[in-house]
Amino acid sequence: MPPKLPLPPTTDEQSPSDGSIDSARPALPSVNDESSARQTAASGLVAGITPGDSQPGAVLPQDSAPARPTVRRQPPTRALKPGDLVCGECGEGNQPTRKFCGRCGNSLAAADVVRTPWWRRLLPRRGAKVRRSGERPRNRRGKSKLGAAFGAVFRVTRRVVSAVLVIAGIAYGISGDFRSWVNAHAIALEQDVEGVVLPQYAPVAPVEITATSELLDHPGASAFDGFSNTFWAAPAAGPEPVLVARFAQPVTLSRAIIRTGARDEFQARHRPHRLHLVFSTGRTADVELKDNPDPQQVDLADGAGVTSVEVHVVSLYQSVKGTDVALTEIEFFTEQ
Ligand SMILES: [Zn+2]
C-alpha cells in the first residue's frame, strides 16, 4: 500500500480513504511536470534562463536601482560654531577648511554654513578671536591701554544703544500708545534742550522815551512802538541825536533787534551807521549797523541791572539829498 499523500481538505471531506482514487493521483504530477517544463522553456527568453544552460542570457534594459542611503542623519558630535560646514548627509559639523565630511566622507561642496545669529553680533565677543586665512590684525600701534579699554566700552555701548534704538523703533511703528507717549515726551525734551542750547528771550518795553531831537511827525517814541511803518527822525545838521529809554525796574538787556532807516523811503534819509549805548550803570556798548532795512540782531554783554539806556547816533550812512536821520525800531530783550 503506497503511503497516503496529504490531500487538500476539500477532497478529504468528499471521499474517505479508498484505494481506487489514491492510485490514480500519482499520475497527475507527471503531466503537470511536462507542461510546466514547456512553459518554463517558452518563457526562458524573457526570464533570461535557458533550460540546461547556467550562463545568464540577454537582459532587456532596465532602470538602475537607486543607491540605498548608507548613512543616517544624526546629531553632530561637536558643538557647531559659526562658519562650520554641516554635512548634508549625516548632519555632522565640519571645520570650514574641510572638503569632505569627517564622519561619512560625503562632499561638503554644497554643505550649509553655520551662521552667526544677529543677536550674538550685538554681544561682545568672548574667547579667542578666530581669523580667516590671510586676515591680519589691524595696526594697533600707538593705542594706549586706556584708549583700548575706552574703545571696548564704546563698542559695547554702541551695540547696546543700537539694539535699544532698533527695538524702540519697532515699538514706535507698532504701538500707537507708545508712539503718542514718545511724541509727547520728545516735544518736552526738545523744549528742554532749546532752553539749554538756545536761551529764551523776552521783550523788554521801556515805559518812557525821550529824544534830544526829533521831527514833529517822527517822535522818538516811534522807535519803540512796535510798528515798522513808523520811524524816529532827527535833523542831522544839529548836535548828535540821542534817544533815551527808561524802564520801570532794573532789567538786564542782553539783546537788541534794530531796524535802521525809514522802511518805505530808505534812501531818502540818512541811516545810523554806529550807535553808542550808555547804560544807567555807566557801562557802554558800541553797535555797528549794516546799511539795509532788514532787522539786525545785536547781542549786548554789559546790560545788567539797567534802569535806562541812551542811544547815541555817532555816525551815518549818508543819503544824497536827505537832511535828517531815521530809525524805524529798537527792540530790547532780556535772557530768561
Ligand atoms: Zn557626513
Side-chain angles (χ1 to χ4, degrees):
M1 180 136 183
K4 194 174 179 180
L5 291 168
L7 292 169
T10 45
T11 30
D12 210 334
E13 268 183 309
Q14 231 175 13
S15 54
S17 58
D18 91 286
S20 62
I21 297 170
D22 278 352
S23 58
R25 286 212 176 252
L28 279 164
S30 66
V31 177
N32 284 348
D33 279 353
E34 274 174 38
S35 67
S36 68
R38 254 183 268 117
Q39 234 174 353
T40 315
S43 61
L45 282 172
V46 179
I49 301 160
T50 310
D53 190 358
S54 62
Q55 289 296 316
V59 178
L60 287 176
Q62 293 177 14
D63 288 339
S64 60
R68 295 184 63 192
T70 51
V71 280
R72 269 195 315 128
R73 225 184 147 75
Q74 281 175 314
T77 56
R78 56 198 278 272
L80 295 177
K81 282 185 287 186
D84 275 359
L85 301 170
V86 179
C87 173
E89 290 296 326
C90 72
E92 173 69 309
N94 292 275
Q95 284 186 345
T97 48
R98 293 194 68 103
K99 297 279 183 263
F100 295 94
C101 176
R103 184 158 66 181
C104 72
N106 257 290
S107 169
L108 295 173
D112 288 332
V113 181
V114 177
R115 294 183 174 279
T116 312
W118 65 268
W119 50 266
R120 190 182 288 279
R121 277 179 241 150
L122 299 172
L123 299 177
R125 188 172 44 235
R126 285 162 186 270
K129 179 168 173 62
V130 181
R131 294 189 188 282
R132 286 173 172 276
S133 167
E135 191 187 21
R136 303 214 173 277
R138 272 185 298 174
N139 189 357
R140 285 177 177 255
R141 259 184 309 173
K143 203 168 190 181
S144 66
K145 276 186 177 176
L146 185 69
F150 181 80
V153 169
F154 177 72
R155 274 194 299 279
V156 172
T157 311
R158 191 179 52 189
R159 287 188 178 115
V160 170
V161 167
S162 323
V164 167
L165 283 179
V166 166
I167 291 163
I170 292 167
Y172 184 88
I174 292 171
S175 161
D177 285 348
F178 183 65
R179 189 157 51 231
S180 52
W181 181 87
V182 166
N183 290 349
H185 284 73
I187 290 163
L189 181 69
E190 191 180 38
Q191 283 164 350
D192 284 354
V193 169
E194 273 180 2
V196 172
V197 178
L198 307 167
Q200 304 285 302
Y201 291 91
V204 180
V207 290
E208 185 194 338
I209 298 131
T210 53
T212 57
S213 58
E214 59 192 18
L215 298 187
L216 205 60
D217 296 338
H218 303 289
S222 293
F224 291 96
D225 61 0
F227 296 107
S228 57
N229 59 348
T230 62
F231 56 91
W232 167 53
E240 180 185 87
V242 180
L243 263 180
V244 183
R246 250 174 248 289
F247 303 97
Q249 63 220 24
V251 289
T252 296
L253 303 179
S254 15
R255 177 173 285 182
I257 293 178
I258 300 169
R259 293 163 195 256
T260 173
R263 190 191 66 179
D264 297 327
E265 37 180 14
F266 193 74
Q267 298 292 342
R269 297 168 194 268
H270 304 309
R271 285 84 57 188
H273 177 203
R274 220 172 258 124
L275 301 178
H276 181 68
L277 274 56
V278 181
F279 301 115
S280 58
T281 54
R283 294 173 179 271
T284 62
D286 286 291
V287 175
E288 187 155 341
L289 298 171
K290 298 186 192 85
D291 192 24
N292 69 55
D294 299 328
Q296 300 180 47
Q297 182 179 300
V298 179
D299 286 328
L300 305 170
D302 291 319
V306 166
T307 54
S308 71
V309 56
E310 298 172 12
V311 180
H312 297 247
V313 180
V314 177
S315 65
L316 304 174
Y317 291 106
Q318 295 283 341
S319 165
V320 177
K321 50 183 182 175
T323 56
D324 40 63
V325 56
L327 196 153
T328 294
E329 200 74 18
I330 300 178
E331 295 169 273
F332 285 114
F333 296 88
T334 189
E335 188 182 322
Q336 286 182 324

